[in-house]
C-alpha cells in the first residue's frame, strides 16, 4: 500500500519534470529559418552545433505529435506547428536518392539547411523517419504521408528479411551474419506504432512480422537462459569474441518492455514471464553497479573488460528504459519486487540526471555518477527518451 | 645539470620497461597456427578475442624490425621470425581485392585465419601496411616487398592528392571537404620511413611530398596562432561546428615531433620554432589537466563540452607522444623549460600507466587517473606507442 502512495508522490514530480523538458525543447531547439530542430544544445540551452541528426529529428516529431494527440495540456498549436515543421524538413531533405538504397535510404546527419553530411549503412534513420511520419499523419490526417511511411516500411522489411545489400555494406567473408538485437527491436517498435488503434486489416497485415520480431529478440537469451547477449548468429547461436559476448543492459531492458507490450496485446502470459525474468531481471542483476549505483552501458558476459571506452559510464537512456520496464511489469503483475526495482532506479535517476538549474537532463555520467558531458542535446540525445519515459509514467 | 642526471636516472627505468614490454608481446601475442599477432590481450596476457587488426599487425611488424635492426640485444632470431610471420600474414590476407579501391585497399580487421571482417573508408590500414613492408624489407632484403610498399605508396598519394573516390566514401553535398590532420601526418611519417638512410634519388623523389605534408599540417594552426585544430578546410580555414572546433592534444604533440624530425633533416630553424611553440606548447597548455594531471583525449577550442563520450579520459598514447616530443625538442634546443615539461609528463605517465604486476601498460584511465579498461591490447592498442616511445628515448 505504501508503494502505491509512493507512486502517487512520484507522479507530481514527474508531471513537473515533463513540463520542464517540453519547455526546454520548445524554447531552444526550433529553427525558424530552415525548419527542423537543432539537436546540439548546451547546458544552458545554447546551440553549439547546427547539424541536424535524422534519428533525433524523427524522434522529436514523433514525441511532439504523441503529446499533442494524447495529452490535453500539450494540445497546443505551438507543438503541432513544430511537429509539422519537423516533418516537412524530414520529407524535404532526409531521403538521399541516387545511392544503392534506391529512393528510400535516409541520411544520418544533415546540415542546418538540409544537405546530407553522412549516411549510415543501417536501417535506423529510416526507422525514425517512419515513426515520425506515421504519428504525424495521425495528427494531420495526411494520407500521402501515411502512404510514404507504409512504403518505406516495406522497403525496410525487404532490407532486413530479404536482402541487405541496398544498405551499401560490402559482404565480407569474415563478417559473420549477425542478429543484432537493435534490428528486431526497432521493427517491433514500428509494428506497434503502425498498428496501434488501427483496424483488423492493418493489424492482421503486421501480425506475422510482429511474431517474427519477437522470435528474433528471444534468440538473444543465451548461456542456458542466464544472459541476454546483444549479438547472436541468425540461427540463434553465440558468436565468438567480444561481439558475441557483448551485453547492453539498457537495451535489453528496452527490449523487455517492448515484449511486455506485445504480450499484453496478445494476452501471452508465457511471453510476459519471459520478458520479466530474462529481459528485466537478468540485465538489472548484471547491469546494476553495486558500488556506485546506476546501470553500466556495456558489459562482457565473461567479465572481460569491454573494449568500448565508455563501458562503465552511466547514460540517461538505459535508466529511462528501466523505469518504463519495471513500472510496466509491476502494473501488469502487481509483483512488489518489480515496484521495488522501479524505485531503486527512480531514486538513482532523479538524484543524478535532471539539471535543476538549466532544466532537462544531463545524459552522460562517470561510473561514480559525476556529470561527464554537460550538454542537454547531442548527436544521440534529443527530445525522446526522457519525455517518452515521463509521458509513459503519467499516461500509460 | 641536475636535469641531465635525472635523464640518466630515467634511462635505467626505461630500459627495463622496454624489456618487459617486448617480453609481454613475444610471450602472449604470437599465433603459431595462422601467423600474425593476437591483438586483444587481457591484463594477464590472455587472448580475449582473436580478431586481427591490420593497423596493429603492421605496427607490430614495424616495431619488431626496428628493434631487430637497430638494437643489439633485440637482434634475436625469435624477433625476426615473428616479424616475418606477421609480414607474411599481412601480404597474404590484408589486401582486399575486388572493391572500388582496386587491388590496393586493405581491410581494417581480419579473422584469426585472415578473412576480412571490416574495411575502413580511409587510408590508415594501408599506411601501416607500407610502414611494415618498408621496414621488413630493410631487414630481409626482399626487393619484391620493397616494390610493393612503393607501389602502394603511389596509390595512397593518388587517393590523398588526386581522387579519394576509390576509398568508397560517397560524396555528399553537406560533407565539407576537410583537411584532417591525421592524413598529412601519416604521409609525412611514411616519407620519413621510406627515405631514411636511402640514396639521393629516393630522398629527392619524396622531398616535394614531405614539404606538402608539412604545409598541410601547418594549416591546422588556427585562431591567430593560439590553437591547433584537428580539422580544417582544404584552404586552411576553420570549419563550422564541433568538427571544426575539435582539438586532440596528443595528436598535435605527435605532429609536433614529426615536424621536429623534418626540421632537423632540413636544418629548418623556423619550422623547429613553429613546431615547439605551436605543436608542443599550445596542446600541452590547453590539454594538460590542471586538477588531476595527464592529457585530455579531446577538447573543444571554445570550451564547449566535446561530444565524444571519452573526451576527458587519459589515454596512454598521447602521453607517449608527449614524452617523445618534449625530449626531442629539448635535445634539439637544450631549453630547460622543455625538459621540465618532459619530466612532468614522465612523472604522470610512469606513475599511472605501467602495470607492475602483469607487465606492459594500461591504456585507458578515467579523468582522475583510475584504470578504466584493464586490457593490455585492444582494437587500437598494440605493440607500438609504448615501445616506440621507450625505444626513441634510449636510441634516438
Amino acid at each position: 500500500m505504501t508503494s502505491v502512495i509512493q507512486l502517487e508522490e512520484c507522479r507530481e514530480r514527474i508531471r513537473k519534470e515533463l513540463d520542464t523538458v517540453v519547455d526546454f525543447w520548445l524554447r531552444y531547439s526550433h529553427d525558424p529559418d530552415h525548419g527542423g530542430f537543432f539537436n546540439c544544445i548546451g547546458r544552458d540551452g545554447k546551440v553549439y552545433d547546427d547539424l541536424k541528426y535524422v534519428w533525433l529529428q524523427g524522434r522529436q516529431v514523433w514525441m511532439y505529435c504523441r503529446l499533442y494527440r494524447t495529452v490535453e495540456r500539450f494540445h497546443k498549436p505551438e507543438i503541432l506547428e513544430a511537429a509539422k515543421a519537423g516533418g516537412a524538413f524530414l520529407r524535404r531533405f532526409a531521403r538521399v536518392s541516387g545511392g544503392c538504397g534506391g529512393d528510400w535510404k535516409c541520411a544520418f546527419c544533415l546540415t542546418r539547411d538540409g544537405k546530407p553530411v553522412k549516411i549510415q549503412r543501417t536501417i535506423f534513420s529510416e526507422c525514425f523517419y517512419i515513426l515520425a511520419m506515421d504519428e504525424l499523419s495521425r495528427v494531420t490526417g495526411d494520407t500521402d504521408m501515411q502512404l510514404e511511411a507504409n512504403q518505406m516500411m516495406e522497403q525496410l522489411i525487404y532490407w532486413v528479411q530479404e536482402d541487405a545489400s541496398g544498405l551499401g555494406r560490402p559482404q565480407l567473408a569474415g563478417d559473420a551474419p549477425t542478429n543484432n538485437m537493435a534490428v528486431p527491436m526497432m521493427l517491433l517498435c514500428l509494428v506497434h506504432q503502425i498498428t496501434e488503434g488501427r483496424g483488423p486489416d492493418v493489424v492482421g497485415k503486421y501480425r506475422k512480422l510482429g511474431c517474427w520480431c519477437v522470435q528474433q529478440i528471444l534468440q538473444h537469451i543465451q548461456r542456458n537462459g542466464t544472459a541476454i547477449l546483444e549479438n547472436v548468429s541468425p540461427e540463434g547461436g553465440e558468436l565468438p569474441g567480444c561481439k558475441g559476448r557483448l551485453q547492453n543492459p539498457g537495451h535489453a531492458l528496452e527490449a523487455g518492455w517492448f515484449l511486455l507490450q506485445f504480450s499484453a496485446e496478445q494476452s501471452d502470459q508465457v511471453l510476459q514471464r519471459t520478458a520479466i525474468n530474462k529481459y528485466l531481471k537478468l540485465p538489472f542483476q548484471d547491469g546494476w553497479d553495486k558500488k556506485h549505483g546506476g546501470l553500466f552501458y556495456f558489459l562482457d558476459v565473461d567479465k572481460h573488460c569491454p573494449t568500448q571506452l565508455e563501458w562503465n559510464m552511466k547514460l540517461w537512456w538505459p535508466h529511462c528504459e528501466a523505469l518504463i520496464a519495471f513500472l510496466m511489469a509491476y502494473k501488469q503483475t502487481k509483483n512488489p519486487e518489480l515496484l521495488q526495482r522501479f524505485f531503486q532506479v527512480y531514486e538513482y535517476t532523479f538524484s543524478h540526471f535532471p539539471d535543476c538549474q538549466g532544466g532537462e537532463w544531463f545524459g552522460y555520467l562517470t561510473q561514480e555518477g559525476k556529470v561527464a558531458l554537460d550538454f542537454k542535446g547531442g548527436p544521440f540525445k534529443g527530445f525522446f527518451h526522457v519525455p517518452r519515459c515521463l509521458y509513459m509514467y503519467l499516461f500509460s
Side-chain angles (χ1 to χ4, degrees), chain A residues 240-292:
Chain A
C242 294
K243 182 180 173 186
R245 294 191 308 265
L246 185 68
Q247 298 184 286
N248 180 333
H251 217 205
L253 286 156
E254 186 178 11
W257 72 258
F258 287 6
L259 293 176
L260 281 178
Q261 213 169 32
F262 191 84
S263 76
E265 287 158 12
Q266 311 284 322
S267 309
D268 183 340
Q269 291 209 333
V270 176
L271 182 60
Q272 183 195 60
R273 258 199 310 278
T274 304
I276 292 172
N277 289 331
K278 304 303 179 188
Y279 286 82
L280 270 61
K281 289 187 180 174
L282 288 180
F284 187 82
Q285 174 192 301
D286 295 338
W288 189 260
D289 183 347
K290 273 86 187 168
K291 189 164 176 200
H292 300 286

Side-chain angles (χ1 to χ4, degrees), chain A residues 97-385:
Chain A
S97 54
C100 40
D103 285 340
W104 296 105
K105 194 79 197 81
C106 289
F108 172 69
C109 179
L110 303 164
T111 58
R112 185 179 174 187
D113 61 354
K115 295 194 199 78
V117 176
K118 195 182 164 184
I119 302 175
Q120 283 187 320
R121 298 175 291 184
T122 60
I123 58 162
F124 304 113
S125 290
E126 294 74 17
C127 288
F128 294 113
Y129 188 96
I130 294 170
L131 202 71
M133 293 308 151
D134 182 84
E135 187 65 28
L136 183 56
S137 70
R138 288 167 184 257
V139 171
T140 60
D142 184 331
T143 50
D144 267 7
M145 191 182 283
Q146 182 62 57
L147 183 66
E148 190 190 355
N150 292 341
Q151 288 175 330
M152 196 181 281
M153 185 70 180
E154 292 308 310
Q155 176 64 66
L156 216 60
I157 295 167
Y158 179 81
W159 282 331
V160 171
Q161 294 194 329
E162 305 293 329
D163 181 4
S165 63
L167 296 172
R169 197 172 283 277
Q171 299 279 310
L172 297 171
D175 189 14
T178 300
N179 168 359
N180 171 269
M181 197 158 69
V183 172
M185 277 175 68
M186 274 307 314
L187 275 190
L188 184 58
C189 170
L190 289 176
V191 167
H192 180 78
Q193 172 68 32
I194 290 173
T195 58
E196 196 190 12
R198 290 256 158 74
D201 52 332
V202 177
V203 173
K205 183 181 167 195
Y206 287 105
R207 182 169 295 128
K208 215 174 121 189
L209 179 61
C211 293
W212 182 83
C213 292
V214 168
Q215 175 263 328
Q216 290 283 301
I217 293 171
L218 293 179
Q219 286 193 337
H220 294 261
I221 307 173
Q222 293 288 321
R223 304 279 175 116
N224 294 316
T226 62
I228 305 299
L229 302 182
E230 193 67 10
N231 301 298
V232 295
S233 80
E235 299 75 34
E238 189 169 330
L239 292 168
C242 294
K243 182 180 173 186
R245 294 191 308 265
L246 185 68
Q247 298 184 286
N248 180 333
H251 217 205
L253 286 156
E254 186 178 11
W257 72 258
F258 287 6
L259 293 176
L260 281 178
Q261 213 169 32
F262 191 84
S263 76
E265 287 158 12
Q266 311 284 322
S267 309
D268 183 340
Q269 291 209 333
V270 176
L271 182 60
Q272 183 195 60
R273 258 199 310 278
T274 304
I276 292 172
N277 289 331
K278 304 303 179 188
Y279 286 82
L280 270 61
K281 289 187 180 174
L282 288 180
F284 187 82
Q285 174 192 301
D286 295 338
W288 189 260
D289 183 347
K290 273 86 187 168
K291 189 164 176 200
H292 300 286
L295 290 161
F296 287 111
Y297 189 10
F298 292 113
L299 291 170
D300 177 297
V301 69
D302 285 338
K303 315 286 177 215
H304 295 287
C305 177
T307 54
Q308 289 83 358
L309 273 55
E310 64 277 25
W311 75 272
N312 65 1
M313 291 179 77
K314 309 292 164 64
L315 271 64
W316 86 107
W317 71 260
H319 297 82
C320 295
E321 303 306 340
L323 289 173
I324 296 172
F326 283 115
L327 189 63
M328 193 181 284
Y330 170 70
K331 285 188 176 173
Q332 290 188 8
T333 62
K334 305 294 176 207
N335 176 350
E337 194 200 325
L338 295 165
L339 191 60
Q340 203 186 316
R341 291 279 167 280
F342 170 82
F343 283 123
Q344 190 178 344
V345 180
Y346 180 89
E347 182 57 38
Y348 182 88
T349 304
F350 280 81
S351 62
H352 284 83
F353 290 105
D355 176 16
C356 314
Q357 264 114 54
E360 243 281 341
W361 293 18
F362 297 116
Y364 304 89
L365 314 179
T366 64
Q367 179 176 5
E368 293 79 14
K370 205 183 74 180
V371 175
L373 291 89
D374 73 359
F375 52 72
K376 304 295 170 53
F380 293 93
K381 183 173 186 290
F383 183 66
F384 186 61
H385 289 97

